[in-house]
Short mmCIF file of all heavy atoms in Angstrom, two decimals:
data_model
loop_
_atom_site.label_atom_id
_atom_site.label_comp_id
_atom_site.label_asym_id
_atom_site.label_seq_id
_atom_site.Cartn_x
_atom_site.Cartn_y
_atom_site.Cartn_z
N PRO A 15 4.64 7.09 16.66
CA PRO A 15 5.47 8.00 17.57
C PRO A 15 6.89 7.31 17.61
O PRO A 15 7.05 6.10 17.85
CB PRO A 15 4.76 8.02 18.86
CG PRO A 15 3.31 7.77 18.48
CD PRO A 15 3.34 6.80 17.36
N PRO A 16 7.89 8.06 17.43
CA PRO A 16 9.33 7.61 17.51
C PRO A 16 9.60 6.99 18.89
O PRO A 16 9.20 7.46 19.92
CB PRO A 16 10.24 8.85 17.31
CG PRO A 16 9.35 9.76 16.49
CD PRO A 16 7.89 9.55 17.09
N LYS A 17 10.32 5.91 18.82
CA LYS A 17 10.81 5.25 20.08
C LYS A 17 11.99 4.40 19.74
O LYS A 17 12.14 3.89 18.58
CB LYS A 17 9.69 4.31 20.71
CG LYS A 17 9.25 3.21 19.71
CD LYS A 17 8.20 2.36 20.49
CE LYS A 17 7.84 1.10 19.61
NZ LYS A 17 6.71 0.27 20.28
N PRO A 18 12.85 4.16 20.71
CA PRO A 18 13.99 3.33 20.49
C PRO A 18 13.64 1.78 20.09
O PRO A 18 12.62 1.38 20.54
CB PRO A 18 14.83 3.28 21.81
CG PRO A 18 14.32 4.44 22.48
CD PRO A 18 12.83 4.66 22.09
N VAL A 19 14.43 1.18 19.25
CA VAL A 19 14.17 -0.15 19.00
C VAL A 19 14.34 -1.06 20.14
O VAL A 19 15.26 -0.83 21.04
CB VAL A 19 15.07 -0.63 17.77
CG1 VAL A 19 16.49 -0.65 18.13
CG2 VAL A 19 14.62 -1.97 17.23
N SER A 20 13.53 -2.07 20.38
CA SER A 20 13.67 -2.93 21.58
C SER A 20 14.86 -3.85 21.46
O SER A 20 15.40 -4.11 20.34
CB SER A 20 12.35 -3.73 21.58
OG SER A 20 12.28 -4.69 20.69
N SER A 21 15.37 -4.21 22.71
CA SER A 21 16.49 -5.12 22.69
C SER A 21 16.12 -6.50 22.05
O SER A 21 16.95 -7.23 21.45
CB SER A 21 16.86 -5.43 24.04
OG SER A 21 15.73 -5.89 24.96
N ALA A 22 14.74 -6.84 22.08
CA ALA A 22 14.35 -8.12 21.43
C ALA A 22 14.50 -8.05 19.93
O ALA A 22 14.98 -9.07 19.30
CB ALA A 22 12.93 -8.48 21.80
N VAL A 23 14.25 -6.96 19.32
CA VAL A 23 14.40 -6.86 17.85
C VAL A 23 15.87 -6.85 17.55
O VAL A 23 16.32 -7.49 16.56
CB VAL A 23 13.77 -5.60 17.42
CG1 VAL A 23 14.07 -5.29 15.94
CG2 VAL A 23 12.28 -5.57 17.60
N LYS A 24 16.71 -6.17 18.32
CA LYS A 24 18.18 -6.16 18.04
C LYS A 24 18.67 -7.61 18.13
O LYS A 24 19.43 -8.13 17.24
CB LYS A 24 18.91 -5.27 19.02
CG LYS A 24 18.70 -3.80 18.89
CD LYS A 24 19.61 -3.11 19.85
CE LYS A 24 19.48 -1.56 19.65
NZ LYS A 24 20.33 -0.84 20.59
N GLU A 25 18.34 -8.31 19.14
CA GLU A 25 18.73 -9.69 19.36
C GLU A 25 18.33 -10.54 18.13
O GLU A 25 19.08 -11.36 17.61
CB GLU A 25 18.25 -10.16 20.58
CG GLU A 25 18.73 -11.70 20.95
CD GLU A 25 18.10 -12.11 22.30
OE1 GLU A 25 17.54 -11.41 22.97
OE2 GLU A 25 18.43 -13.34 22.59
N ALA A 26 17.14 -10.35 17.71
CA ALA A 26 16.64 -11.16 16.56
C ALA A 26 17.40 -10.88 15.29
O ALA A 26 17.68 -11.74 14.47
CB ALA A 26 15.10 -10.96 16.36
N PHE A 27 17.66 -9.57 15.16
CA PHE A 27 18.48 -9.23 13.95
C PHE A 27 19.83 -9.78 13.96
O PHE A 27 20.26 -10.35 12.87
CB PHE A 27 18.56 -7.68 13.96
CG PHE A 27 19.47 -7.14 12.85
CD1 PHE A 27 18.94 -6.81 11.58
CD2 PHE A 27 20.81 -6.87 12.99
CE1 PHE A 27 19.79 -6.41 10.55
CE2 PHE A 27 21.66 -6.39 11.97
CZ PHE A 27 21.11 -6.23 10.78
N TYR A 28 20.59 -9.75 14.95
CA TYR A 28 21.89 -10.33 15.06
C TYR A 28 21.91 -11.86 15.04
O TYR A 28 22.87 -12.47 14.66
CB TYR A 28 22.66 -9.80 16.20
CG TYR A 28 23.00 -8.33 15.99
CD1 TYR A 28 22.46 -7.32 16.77
CD2 TYR A 28 24.03 -7.97 15.04
CE1 TYR A 28 22.82 -5.99 16.57
CE2 TYR A 28 24.39 -6.61 14.80
CZ TYR A 28 23.72 -5.65 15.57
OH TYR A 28 24.14 -4.41 15.41
N LYS A 29 20.83 -12.48 15.37
CA LYS A 29 20.72 -13.98 15.28
C LYS A 29 20.42 -14.43 13.88
O LYS A 29 20.61 -15.60 13.51
CB LYS A 29 19.63 -14.39 16.34
CG LYS A 29 20.07 -14.53 17.66
CD LYS A 29 18.99 -15.12 18.53
CE LYS A 29 19.48 -15.24 20.02
NZ LYS A 29 18.44 -15.95 20.83
N LYS A 30 19.88 -13.54 13.02
CA LYS A 30 19.47 -13.85 11.73
C LYS A 30 19.95 -12.89 10.67
O LYS A 30 19.20 -11.93 10.31
CB LYS A 30 17.95 -13.98 11.71
CG LYS A 30 17.38 -14.48 10.36
CD LYS A 30 15.82 -14.53 10.46
CE LYS A 30 15.29 -15.05 9.14
NZ LYS A 30 13.76 -15.15 9.13
N ARG A 31 21.26 -13.01 10.37
CA ARG A 31 21.93 -12.03 9.53
C ARG A 31 21.67 -12.36 7.95
O ARG A 31 21.37 -13.46 7.66
CB ARG A 31 23.42 -11.94 9.70
CG ARG A 31 23.73 -11.61 11.18
CD ARG A 31 23.24 -10.29 11.59
NE ARG A 31 23.66 -9.20 10.68
CZ ARG A 31 24.80 -8.49 10.84
NH1 ARG A 31 25.71 -8.88 11.77
NH2 ARG A 31 25.10 -7.55 10.10
N CYS A 32 21.71 -11.42 7.13
CA CYS A 32 21.62 -11.63 5.68
C CYS A 32 22.39 -10.53 4.91
O CYS A 32 22.91 -9.67 5.61
CB CYS A 32 20.15 -11.57 5.24
SG CYS A 32 19.37 -9.89 5.18
N ASN A 33 22.51 -10.69 3.66
CA ASN A 33 23.20 -9.80 2.80
C ASN A 33 22.31 -9.37 1.76
O ASN A 33 22.09 -10.23 0.68
CB ASN A 33 24.44 -10.36 2.23
CG ASN A 33 24.99 -9.53 1.17
OD1 ASN A 33 25.17 -8.41 1.40
ND2 ASN A 33 25.40 -10.14 0.08
N LEU A 34 21.72 -8.24 1.69
CA LEU A 34 20.80 -7.76 0.74
C LEU A 34 21.36 -7.68 -0.71
O LEU A 34 20.71 -7.95 -1.69
CB LEU A 34 20.21 -6.35 1.06
CG LEU A 34 19.29 -6.33 2.42
CD1 LEU A 34 18.92 -4.91 2.62
CD2 LEU A 34 18.07 -7.15 2.10
N LYS A 35 22.63 -7.31 -0.79
CA LYS A 35 23.16 -7.19 -2.07
C LYS A 35 23.36 -8.56 -2.89
O LYS A 35 23.52 -8.48 -4.09
CB LYS A 35 24.64 -6.61 -1.92
CG LYS A 35 24.71 -5.18 -1.46
CD LYS A 35 26.14 -4.63 -1.33
CE LYS A 35 26.10 -3.18 -0.83
NZ LYS A 35 27.49 -2.63 -0.65
N ALA A 36 23.23 -9.62 -2.20
CA ALA A 36 23.22 -10.94 -2.82
C ALA A 36 22.03 -11.00 -3.83
O ALA A 36 22.09 -11.85 -4.67
CB ALA A 36 23.16 -12.13 -1.83
N LEU A 37 20.92 -10.27 -3.58
CA LEU A 37 19.86 -10.29 -4.49
C LEU A 37 20.19 -9.93 -5.89
O LEU A 37 19.54 -10.33 -6.85
CB LEU A 37 18.66 -9.32 -3.96
CG LEU A 37 17.98 -9.80 -2.59
CD1 LEU A 37 17.17 -8.59 -2.14
CD2 LEU A 37 17.23 -10.94 -2.80
N PHE A 38 21.25 -8.97 -6.05
CA PHE A 38 21.65 -8.55 -7.40
C PHE A 38 22.26 -9.72 -8.18
O PHE A 38 22.29 -9.60 -9.39
CB PHE A 38 22.61 -7.42 -7.24
CG PHE A 38 21.93 -6.03 -6.81
CD1 PHE A 38 22.38 -5.33 -5.77
CD2 PHE A 38 20.80 -5.59 -7.42
CE1 PHE A 38 21.79 -4.14 -5.30
CE2 PHE A 38 20.13 -4.42 -7.09
CZ PHE A 38 20.64 -3.78 -6.02
N SER A 39 22.90 -10.69 -7.44
CA SER A 39 23.55 -11.67 -8.20
C SER A 39 22.66 -12.96 -8.31
O SER A 39 23.03 -13.99 -8.75
CB SER A 39 24.90 -12.07 -7.57
OG SER A 39 24.68 -12.40 -6.16
N GLY A 40 21.44 -12.85 -7.80
CA GLY A 40 20.48 -13.90 -7.84
C GLY A 40 20.68 -14.94 -6.78
O GLY A 40 20.11 -16.09 -6.76
N ASP A 41 21.50 -14.65 -5.72
CA ASP A 41 21.76 -15.54 -4.66
C ASP A 41 20.82 -15.37 -3.53
O ASP A 41 20.16 -14.36 -3.47
CB ASP A 41 23.26 -15.39 -4.11
CG ASP A 41 24.34 -15.78 -5.19
OD1 ASP A 41 24.15 -16.86 -5.80
OD2 ASP A 41 25.30 -15.02 -5.35
N ASP A 42 20.74 -16.38 -2.68
CA ASP A 42 19.83 -16.28 -1.54
C ASP A 42 20.58 -15.51 -0.46
O ASP A 42 21.64 -15.83 0.07
CB ASP A 42 19.60 -17.74 -1.03
CG ASP A 42 18.61 -17.70 0.16
OD1 ASP A 42 18.26 -16.67 0.75
OD2 ASP A 42 18.19 -18.81 0.52
N PRO A 43 20.03 -14.27 -0.06
CA PRO A 43 20.64 -13.43 0.87
C PRO A 43 20.75 -14.12 2.34
O PRO A 43 21.42 -13.59 3.21
CB PRO A 43 19.88 -12.16 0.97
CG PRO A 43 18.53 -12.68 0.38
CD PRO A 43 18.76 -13.66 -0.52
N TRP A 44 20.02 -15.13 2.60
CA TRP A 44 20.06 -15.78 3.83
C TRP A 44 21.00 -16.96 4.01
O TRP A 44 21.17 -17.52 5.06
CB TRP A 44 18.59 -16.31 4.18
CG TRP A 44 17.53 -15.16 4.13
CD1 TRP A 44 16.63 -14.88 3.17
CD2 TRP A 44 17.33 -14.23 5.23
NE1 TRP A 44 15.82 -13.91 3.52
CE2 TRP A 44 16.23 -13.43 4.78
CE3 TRP A 44 17.88 -13.93 6.42
CZ2 TRP A 44 15.78 -12.36 5.60
CZ3 TRP A 44 17.39 -12.90 7.25
CH2 TRP A 44 16.34 -12.18 6.81
N ARG A 45 21.58 -17.41 2.93
CA ARG A 45 22.53 -18.61 2.91
C ARG A 45 23.74 -18.16 3.78
O ARG A 45 24.49 -17.30 3.34
CB ARG A 45 22.81 -18.98 1.60
CG ARG A 45 21.72 -19.67 0.80
CD ARG A 45 22.13 -20.00 -0.58
NE ARG A 45 23.37 -20.69 -0.66
CZ ARG A 45 24.01 -20.99 -1.74
NH1 ARG A 45 23.49 -20.51 -2.97
NH2 ARG A 45 25.17 -21.59 -1.75
N LEU A 46 23.97 -19.03 4.76
CA LEU A 46 25.16 -18.65 5.66
C LEU A 46 26.46 -18.83 4.92
O LEU A 46 27.39 -18.10 5.20
CB LEU A 46 25.07 -19.66 6.84
CG LEU A 46 23.90 -19.47 7.83
CD1 LEU A 46 23.96 -20.52 8.88
CD2 LEU A 46 23.87 -18.15 8.42
N GLU A 47 26.64 -19.71 3.96
CA GLU A 47 27.83 -19.90 3.25
C GLU A 47 28.20 -18.70 2.37
O GLU A 47 29.37 -18.59 2.03
CB GLU A 47 27.84 -21.20 2.40
CG GLU A 47 26.71 -21.13 1.31
CD GLU A 47 25.45 -21.80 1.74
OE1 GLU A 47 25.16 -21.74 2.90
OE2 GLU A 47 24.73 -22.39 0.93
#
């Protein structure tokens, strides 16, 4: 059943950012640099 995303999930997302497009170049999407 649809429901708004929790604030805890939002907080976790913004604390752990990544770039999915880095997968196309073979890079690690989680690397901060």
Side-chain angles (χ1 to χ4, degrees):
K17 65 178 181 180
V19 66
S20 70
S21 57
V23 172
K24 286 184 181 180
E25 182 178 356
F27 174 85
Y28 286 113
K29 282 185 176 180
K30 187 179 180 181
R31 303 301 302 274
C32 76
N33 170 47
L34 291 176
K35 292 182 180 179
L37 292 170
F38 288 126
S39 58
D41 293 317
D42 185 346
W44 301 102
R45 285 175 55 191
L46 296 177
E47 61 267 29

